[in-house]
Amino acid sequence: MWRGQTVKQSMDDRCRFCWLPAALWTACALIVTACASPEITRLPKVGSETTCITPAVQQDTVVGVALSGGGSRAALYAAAGLEALGRLKSPQGGSSVLEQVSYLSSVSGGGLAAAYYALHKPAHETPMLAADGTMTQAYQTFFTDFQTKLAQDFQSALIWRQLGAGRFILNSALAAQSLHEILEESLLGPGTFADLAARQQSGDSPTLLINSTLYNNGRRFMFTTLTPDAAQYDFIADLDRSLISRGITRTYPEVMKKRWESLLPVSPLELQIDPCPLKVAVAVTASASFPPLVGPITFTVGDELDYWHTGDGGLYENLGLESLLFTFQKQMQDHKVRRALILAFNSSYPFSVGFKQLKQRSQPWTLFNYDFSRIPKVMEERATAYWSLFYRSLQIEGVFPDDASLRILFLNHESAQWDEDLSDLPEACRHEDPPLSSPEDVQQRLAMIPTKFVMESECDRHLLHTAAAKVVMQNRQTILEFLADRPASKGPAQ
C-alpha cells in the first residue's frame, strides 16, 4: 500500500477471520480456500532528504475547519460545508471565508473531503468569488465535481475489489489495502505529502491534518507536514499562569503530566517516518479504517522490527477538532497567532437516534441484525461530554483563551433550520415515501442517514448539501464578526 518494501506477515501469525457483513457470509463460505497473508509495509525513515516539513506560519488570525467522521454522510456534508464557506464573502471584501482557512483537520469520512480539497482545489491564482460576490464558474465546476466524486459507492467497490483481486477472505488488513487502492484510483490520485507541502507553500491549499489512532499506545496519530512540536500545547504552563495570576501555587502529581502527554497527537517524525513520499490516500485509509471490518494498517520504519498499527481516527474524538485545537493553542502560546477560529462541521451519527430504536426493540442482538458500533459510541459520547466540560470550565477559569480569542463553532448537520412550509426542501425530496411533511421530519431524516461509504438516496445527498449551506448562514454573523475582530454574538456550544 505504501511506497517502500513490502514484507509478508510471519508464519507464526495465525489467520483470523474478521467479522463480515451479513451479505458476504454466504459468498465467502463458498470460496474459502486459505488465509490470504496481509501485507506489512516498511516506511522510509526520516533523513536529510525529508524536505516537506514546514513550521506553522505566523499570522494575526488563524482559521481552521474540522471535518468529522461518518462515512459518505460526513464526506458529502464536509464538501458542502466547504462550498458554503466559499460562497460567504469575508468582511475584508474581495475574497471568501474559505480562502482564509489555513488548516483542515479531518477524521474518517471527513478525510475524503479534506484530502480531495487539499490536493485538487484550483490554484490560488483562480479567484473563488467574482466581482459581484457570486462564486466563479471555475469553483462552481470544482464543487460540482467534488460532490460527484464523493457520491461514489466506495462500499460496493471495496467488496468487489476484495473478490476480484482474489482476496477471498475479507481479513481486515487486505480490506484496508483494497480501500487504499480504490481511494487512490477513483478519488484522490497518487498525490503524496510532498505534493501537499508544495501546494501549501505556494498558497494553493491549506495545511492538512489527517487523524488516526495508534493502537499500540492509544495516542492520536496525526498525518501532516507540520513540525513535530506543532501540536505540543503545554497545558500545564497555561494552568500555572492562570493560578499564579490569582495568587495560587500548586504542585502537580507526575501522573497528571503523563495523562496530559497521552492526549497530545503523535506526528510521523516522532516515529522517525519520512512523510514526504507517503501517499495521501494511505493516510485517509488509515483514518477511515474500522476494525475488524477494515484495518488497522500495520507498518514498520526503515530497518526496524518494531510494528505500529493505526486506524479509526474517530475512536475517541470523531470531530477532527482536538488536534486542530491543540495546534492553535500551541501557536497562541508561542505568540505566533493572536486569535483563532475553528469551524467544526459535525455530521456524527446522533446518539439519540439509537435511543429511539432500542426502546422499540425486543429481539436479541446478533451479528446480522444490529450495528454494534453503538458500543464504542457509548464511550465516545461520555468522552465528548467530559471534553466539553473540561474545555468550558478551564475557559471560565482563564486557563484557555476566551471566545473573543479562540472561538469554536459547531456546525451540526441536524441543526439546520427549515421553513415551516418546507418551501426550502430540495426538489429531490418532494416525492419521498413516507413524505417529509414538517421541519421535524427533515431533521429526523438527516439524523437517521446511516454511516456507510455509500449514499444511496439522492434525497439524502441534497439534504446534506442544503443543510450545510443553512448552518453556515445561521452562523454567518458570528463568523464574520470574529473575522472582522468585533465582539461576536453567542453561537452554539458543545
Side-chain angles (χ1 to χ4, degrees):
M1 284 190 294
W2 274 296
R3 285 188 179 178
Q5 179 184 357
T6 298
V7 293
K8 290 290 184 180
Q9 191 176 31
S10 69
M11 294 298 293
D12 291 334
D13 287 346
R14 288 186 170 83
C15 170
R16 292 175 176 86
F17 290 91
C18 67
W19 294 105
L20 300 176
L24 294 175
W25 272 105
T26 303
C28 287
L30 294 174
I31 56 178
V32 169
T33 54
C35 287
S37 297
E39 294 182 343
I40 298 169
T41 300
R42 195 174 296 281
L43 299 184
K45 195 166 186 175
V46 65
S48 58
E49 69 281 3
T50 303
T51 58
C52 67
I53 303 303
T54 54
V57 177
Q58 187 158 347
Q59 52 192 315
D60 180 77
T61 299
V62 64
V63 182
V65 171
L67 304 174
S68 80
S72 292
R73 180 188 66 247
L76 288 164
Y77 183 67
L82 293 174
E83 180 180 352
L85 293 179
R87 294 180 182 276
L88 184 59
K89 193 172 184 179
S90 73
Q92 289 76 21
S95 64
S96 74
V97 169
L98 184 55
E99 290 173 282
Q100 296 191 24
V101 172
S102 302
Y103 293 82
L104 286 180
S105 179
S106 65
V107 171
S108 192
L112 275 66
Y116 184 90
Y117 180 81
L119 284 168
H120 298 293
K121 69 173 286 294
H124 70 280
E125 294 89 354
T126 303
M128 199 169 286
L129 296 180
D132 62 358
T134 61
M135 181 168 280
T136 60
Q137 186 59 53
Y139 268 94
Q140 288 184 46
T141 300
F142 167 75
F143 280 112
T144 297
D145 293 343
F146 196 0
Q147 288 281 333
T148 301
K149 287 279 190 179
L150 291 175
Q152 297 178 74
D153 185 352
F154 299 106
Q155 194 160 293
S156 294
L158 172 60
I159 294 171
W160 286 111
R161 176 60 58 93
Q162 286 289 90
L163 298 175
R167 298 163 189 165
F168 299 126
I169 302 299
L170 261 181
N171 73 43
S172 56
L174 292 174
Q177 181 175 340
S178 292
L179 181 58
H180 157 234
E181 292 168 359
I182 291 163
L183 292 180
E184 182 175 333
E185 293 167 10
S186 62
L187 181 68
L188 300 176
T192 66
F193 278 85
D195 298 326
L196 275 181
R199 284 179 60 85
Q200 293 161 13
Q201 291 165 12
S202 64
D204 293 337
S205 73
T207 297
L208 191 61
L209 314 177
I210 299 177
N211 299 284
S212 65
T213 301
L214 280 176
Y215 291 110
N216 300 61
N217 54 16
R219 296 280 296 275
R220 169 65 47 96
F221 188 40
M222 186 174 75
F223 293 94
T224 185
T225 56
L226 288 172
T227 54
D229 66 338
Q232 300 301 300
Y233 165 60
D234 191 345
F235 162 65
I236 302 297
D238 272 357
L239 181 58
D240 271 334
R241 174 191 50 75
S242 175
L243 292 175
I244 291 171
S245 69
R246 290 175 282 164
I248 303 172
T249 57
R250 287 283 188 273
T251 300
Y252 309 112
E254 190 63 28
V255 66
M256 180 176 174
K257 298 177 182 178
K258 289 185 179 297
R259 286 290 187 185
W260 175 254
E261 289 171 0
S262 73
L263 294 178
L264 295 173
V266 176
S267 72
L269 288 185
E270 290 178 78
L271 299 185
Q272 294 297 299
I273 298 170
D274 180 358
C276 301
L278 186 63
K279 291 186 177 181
V280 178
V282 171
V284 175
T285 299
S287 182
S289 294
F290 185 78
L293 296 176
V294 179
I297 290 175
T298 299
F299 64 88
T300 188
V301 183
D303 296 326
E304 297 176 1
L305 295 178
D306 294 330
Y307 296 95
W308 298 91
H309 313 273
T310 184
D312 194 8
L315 190 60
Y316 65 92
E317 195 271 298
N318 196 45
L319 302 178
L321 172 62
E322 191 174 83
S323 55
L324 186 59
L325 175 65
F326 291 165
T327 298
F328 286 0
Q329 286 179 302
K330 169 67 172 173
Q331 292 178 19
M332 297 177 80
Q333 204 169 49
D334 292 345
H335 305 291
K336 286 188 172 183
V337 163
R338 183 174 67 90
R339 303 168 71 247
L341 174 65
I342 298 176
L343 304 172
F345 285 95
N346 177 24
S347 56
S348 299
Y349 193 69
F351 207 53
S352 57
V353 172
F355 172 81
K356 182 177 179 180
Q357 290 172 330
L358 285 177
K359 282 193 70 175
Q360 299 172 346
R361 182 186 183 90
S362 61
Q363 65 268 39
W365 295 11
T366 75
L367 178 67
F368 302 101
N369 68 13
Y370 193 73
D371 177 9
F372 283 85
S373 65
R374 184 167 183 84
I375 295 173
K377 183 68 174 173
V378 172
M379 295 183 284
E380 182 190 325
E381 286 291 313
R382 285 179 59 81
T384 300
Y386 276 112
W387 184 92
S388 181
L389 288 170
F390 167 75
Y391 180 79
R392 290 300 177 189
S393 297
L394 292 179
Q395 192 179 48
I396 292 169
E397 292 295 326
V399 180
F400 292 164
D402 61 19
D403 280 347
S405 299
L406 175 57
R407 191 68 190 263
I408 304 173
L409 286 180
F410 294 90
L411 308 174
N412 301 331
H413 73 299
E414 79 274 16
S415 297
Q417 297 170 6
W418 300 83
D419 293 344
E420 284 297 324
D421 62 358
L422 293 186
S423 57
D424 50 355
L425 190 68
E427 186 62 34
C429 297
R430 294 194 175 275
H431 303 289
E432 291 295 291
D433 184 20
L436 300 173
S437 56
S438 70
E440 292 74 25
D441 286 348
V442 179
Q443 289 173 331
Q444 182 71 2
R445 173 67 176 261
L446 279 164
M448 294 188 70
I449 298 174
T451 302
K452 300 179 178 179
F453 273 107
V454 57
M455 186 62 60
E456 297 165 320
S457 167
E458 184 182 0
C459 172
D460 287 346
R461 293 197 295 270
H462 284 272
L463 282 179
L464 288 166
H465 191 274
T466 305
K470 282 181 173 291
V471 294
V472 168
M473 290 307 296
Q474 286 165 203
N475 289 274
R476 176 180 180 275
Q477 181 179 352
T478 303
I479 295 170
L480 297 184
E481 284 175 347
F482 188 95
L483 294 178
D485 207 355
R486 298 197 303 268
S489 56
K490 198 167 185 178
Q494 180 164 315

